[in-house]
Amino acid sequence: KEHVLRLGSPSYTAVTLLAAPIAQLVAAHPAVRVEMVDAVADTLFAQLKNGELDFVVGSLPVQPMTDEDAALLHTEILYPDQIGFIMHSSGRPRARSVALKDLQGYSWVLPARDSLVRHALRSVMRDAGLPIPRAAIEVGSIPTIGALVGQQPRLLGVVRTDAAHYFARSAGISMINVRPRIALPPVAIVHLKDNQPTSIMRALSLCPKPASHCSTPVIPIAQATIRPAGSVASRSLVAAMTQRLH
């Protein structure tokens, strides 16, 4: 019998947190078929509420959850999220950390205006009395931001932290330690209360969450700065999804 898991997640959450466990699951269980949907938070949550997805792993929407949604959805926070800044390694500032106000002279490569990252960046810049950065390049595709930043040392890319860490694995791109940290809505795993993939939720929520590599303050949209869990999370997720198949 074929088992289908319908999972929604932003692309770089899928790469950093879900790729390994899902690949292991399918390799171990040939009867499993996983349908992965890559979209922004609002789209994924709409599909979840419509019954088109079994669960979502990704950032919560910017807007607070309504009473109606709270009655429908079961939510477990996995880890806090934040904005990541990337640039060509040859143009990286020598200082260990850089103040947000000192980045005005760079050419900013920004995601779409309605994105979580852009919303948080605007709010923090406005509250700090800083000019809202003008997008030298506005990009709808997150991989394109990384590709552009890798071309010129004066380009500054702004993405979610999981994408920033992914890009920084490539030669020629570095993350910049910018203060203060700009938090994003936390990453969570969410499913309809009527649907019960509970072993998956428990496994992910209990994964170890590595401590931040920097202690600078975080703007309080979320609580802290934490990178996605690694191999332990992968093994736990494989076990949890396997349990659901039986």
Side-chain angles (χ1 to χ4, degrees):
K1 180 181 177 180
E2 183 179 68
H3 299 272
V4 179
L5 293 174
R6 301 169 301 168
L7 164 66
S9 184
S11 54
Y12 284 94
T13 300
V15 167
T16 57
L17 183 62
L18 300 175
I22 289 175
Q24 293 170 34
L25 177 74
V26 172
H29 300 274
V32 173
R33 181 164 61 87
V34 179
E35 297 178 358
M36 298 182 70
V37 176
D38 175 5
V40 298
D42 288 340
T43 299
L44 293 175
F45 277 81
Q47 293 178 344
L48 178 66
K49 288 186 287 186
N50 289 336
E52 300 170 33
L53 296 172
D54 293 317
F55 57 97
V56 169
V57 180
S59 296
L60 295 174
V62 173
Q63 298 300 324
M65 191 176 295
T66 65
D67 291 343
E68 291 78 11
D69 288 347
L72 288 173
L73 302 176
H74 177 82
T75 302
E76 292 192 34
I77 304 299
L78 299 181
Y79 53 86
D81 198 7
Q82 70 173 47
I83 285 179
F85 294 84
I86 56 172
M87 66 184 308
H88 195 284
S89 297
S90 65
R92 182 177 182 175
R94 293 182 180 180
R96 294 185 61 183
S97 64
V98 181
L100 190 59
K101 63 182 178 60
D102 294 331
L103 298 175
Q104 299 293 321
Y106 288 91
S107 297
W108 293 61
V109 185
L110 298 174
R113 295 185 183 187
D114 60 349
S115 65
L116 291 172
V117 167
R118 199 77 175 267
H119 173 85
L121 181 64
R122 276 195 302 265
S123 296
V124 169
M125 299 291 273
R126 183 180 60 245
D127 293 346
L130 298 173
I132 305 298
R134 183 184 68 86
I137 308 173
E138 184 172 310
V139 182
S141 164
I142 301 304
T144 304
I145 294 179
L148 288 165
V149 165
Q151 299 299 314
Q152 293 290 336
R154 296 301 298 176
L155 292 178
L156 177 68
V158 184
V159 294
R160 288 179 51 216
T161 298
D162 53 6
H165 282 294
Y166 182 80
F167 290 136
R169 297 175 191 169
S170 304
I173 295 180
S174 297
M175 289 184 66
I176 306 172
N177 184 9
V178 176
R179 62 180 193 276
R181 302 264 170 160
I182 304 176
L184 295 170
V187 173
I189 185 164
V190 186
H191 67 95
L192 293 172
K193 289 182 177 178
D194 290 342
N195 192 7
Q196 294 299 324
T198 53
S199 58
I200 298 175
M201 317 319 165
R202 285 197 300 269
L204 276 179
S205 64
L206 293 174
C207 288
K209 298 166 180 69
S212 169
H213 63 287
C214 182
S215 60
T216 50
V218 179
I219 295 292
I221 299 173
Q223 286 292 318
T225 300
I226 299 179
R227 293 174 61 178
S231 59
V232 175
S234 298
R235 292 193 296 270
S236 297
L237 185 56
V238 170
M241 288 191 291
T242 301
Q243 291 175 23
R244 190 185 174 202
L245 298 176
H246 299 297

